[in-house]
Amino acid sequence: MGGDMAVVEAARVSFGQGSKGEERDRRLIDYLMRHEHGTPFEMAVFKFHVKAPIFVARQWFRHRMGSYNEISYRYVEVADEFYVPDRLRAQDAKNKQASVVGAFTEEDHARGRALIEEAYRACYARYQELLAMGVARELARIVLPVGMYTQFYVTYNARSLMNFIRLRTGEGAQHEIRLYAEALSRLFERKMPWTYDAFRRFVLQPEEKGLAGAA
């Protein structure tokens, strides 16, 4: 809902004005972004349908500036679909919340993937056995791992979306959620190219924040 022009119109509503042509409108968006006038960016809204592993979704839901609604495995049976990483990563020796490319051989990667897949198969088999016994879905699901996929809808205004992208494309973000943030960033750029361009220059690359410009 909305787009670049929704930001322009919201910013100029105090004066009862709207568009003044592309050049001046883009300069206005630059001005708002550079000086951190965030409210006009709340007038453009995005809704995403996301499919992601549960461990990614739990990190995602920490961003409370969005509205979320998730599939319930109390009501539907879990599909046999789980996330398996392409490559293993080692624990960062300095940052307890981070991982790094480890000194793993191709054999290590293959063995690690096999161990993960074996665990998934065992958990899903126990889940199916519990269902076959007549155990309720809401209880049988407790044996399933956080690598299983979930689905949810999330609604952000553009200001909140930029905050999510800024945080989750950063070096400290986990690789898996960073991939989703990068995908959202590409969608954002396609739908709001003027705003994204200013966001890239003044927020993602803040060394350009001091560049001259006027509304």
Side-chain angles (χ1 to χ4, degrees), residues 42-189:
E42 296 175 9
M43 301 301 121
V45 179
F46 291 80
K47 181 171 71 174
F48 301 104
H49 182 190
V50 181
K51 180 179 179 181
I54 285 180
F55 71 90
V56 171
R58 295 302 167 259
Q59 294 180 51
W60 201 315
F61 293 170
R62 291 177 63 84
H63 296 268
R64 291 184 293 275
M65 69 284 190
S67 298
Y68 302 92
N69 208 40
E70 185 181 11
I71 191 172
S72 175
Y73 289 129
R74 295 182 66 194
Y75 305 120
V76 298
E77 187 174 328
V78 175
D80 184 8
E81 189 172 14
F82 302 88
Y83 170 73
V84 180
D86 291 331
R87 313 289 288 178
L88 301 179
R89 301 191 302 275
Q91 184 65 47
D92 191 319
K94 297 180 180 179
N95 186 347
K96 294 181 180 180
Q97 294 181 311
S99 60
V100 295
V101 176
F104 297 112
T105 64
E106 289 303 317
E107 290 75 15
D108 290 332
H109 288 299
R111 180 170 178 266
R113 287 172 55 88
L115 289 172
I116 293 169
E117 291 171 348
E118 179 185 353
Y120 286 158
R121 285 193 295 270
C123 290
Y124 194 73
R126 300 296 85 76
Y127 171 72
Q128 290 290 319
E129 289 174 19
L130 289 166
L131 292 179
M133 291 172 57
V135 175
R137 287 184 293 267
E138 68 178 21
L139 189 58
R141 64 181 174 170
I142 69 174
V143 301
L144 294 169
V146 295
M148 61 180 274
Y149 278 88
T150 186
Q151 296 185 45
F152 58 93
Y153 281 96
V154 56
T155 301
Y156 290 136
N157 62 53
R159 184 182 190 181
S160 297
L161 178 59
M162 287 186 285
N163 187 51
F164 177 85
I165 292 171
R166 178 182 63 84
L167 292 172
R168 293 301 183 175
T169 58
E171 292 183 0
Q174 184 169 341
H175 171 72
E176 285 78 8
I177 197 170
R178 191 163 62 242
L179 294 178
Y180 283 90
E182 290 169 353
L184 264 58
S185 181
R186 292 190 293 271
L187 289 169
F188 178 41
E189 181 180 13

Side-chain angles (χ1 to χ4, degrees), residues 3-9 12 18-34 41 44 46 158 162 185-203:
D4 289 323
M5 286 309 303
V7 177
V8 171
E9 291 165 356
R12 292 202 176 113
S19 175
K20 294 184 179 181
E22 179 175 340
E23 181 180 354
R24 295 184 68 181
D25 291 348
R26 295 194 67 161
R27 287 168 58 193
L28 171 60
I29 287 176
D30 277 6
Y31 179 88
L32 296 171
M33 191 73 68
R34 186 171 63 251
F41 296 106
F46 291 80
M162 287 186 285
S185 181
R186 292 190 293 271
L187 289 169
F188 178 41
E189 181 180 13
R190 190 159 69 241
K191 295 297 184 180
M192 296 182 66
W194 299 354
T195 299
Y196 180 85
D197 181 61
F199 172 61
R200 176 187 58 79
R201 288 183 288 115
F202 300 126
V203 178

